[in-house]
Amino acid sequence: MSNLMGHRKPISYAPAIGIGVLLVLQLLFSQWSVINGLFDTAPLTPMQGLLALAAGLPVILWALIRQRIDPIN
């Protein structure tokens, strides 16, 4: 609640960097033909990728907003 009362808190970009790294690794894992052959899977179509992103983005945004308003520690 202190964030709403004018108290400033430095913003850490570590979670954003972590999410970005995981996104790149996930794309590599799901699209690379070597991995697809190893696990007998098929790459996602662009529409399937957008659908997965659309499903996960609101959850990430909600968690970031909630953390900003009411931090755990």
Side-chain angles (χ1 to χ4, degrees), residues 4 9 18 27 31 40-41 43-44 53 55 57 59-60 64 68:
L4 297 176
K9 180 179 170 184
L27 285 172
Q31 301 298 323
D40 196 27
T41 60
L44 295 175
L53 183 63
L57 196 57
V59 175
I60 294 170
L64 291 173
R68 186 83 171 137

Side-chain angles (χ1 to χ4, degrees), residues 5-20:
M5 297 179 187
H7 298 274
R8 296 264 175 195
K9 180 179 170 184
I11 298 172
S12 171
Y13 293 104
I17 293 169
I19 290 169

Side-chain angles (χ1 to χ4, degrees), residues 6-65:
H7 298 274
R8 296 264 175 195
K9 180 179 170 184
I11 298 172
S12 171
Y13 293 104
I17 293 169
I19 290 169
V21 167
L22 288 176
L23 181 62
V24 169
L25 290 174
Q26 179 65 37
L27 285 172
L28 179 67
F29 183 80
S30 66
Q31 301 298 323
W32 193 21
S33 61
V34 173
I35 300 294
N36 292 147
L38 183 64
F39 292 103
D40 196 27
T41 60
L44 295 175
T45 64
M47 190 58 158
Q48 290 170 330
L50 287 174
L51 183 61
L53 183 63
L57 196 57
V59 175
I60 294 170
L61 291 175
W62 174 253
L64 291 173
I65 290 169

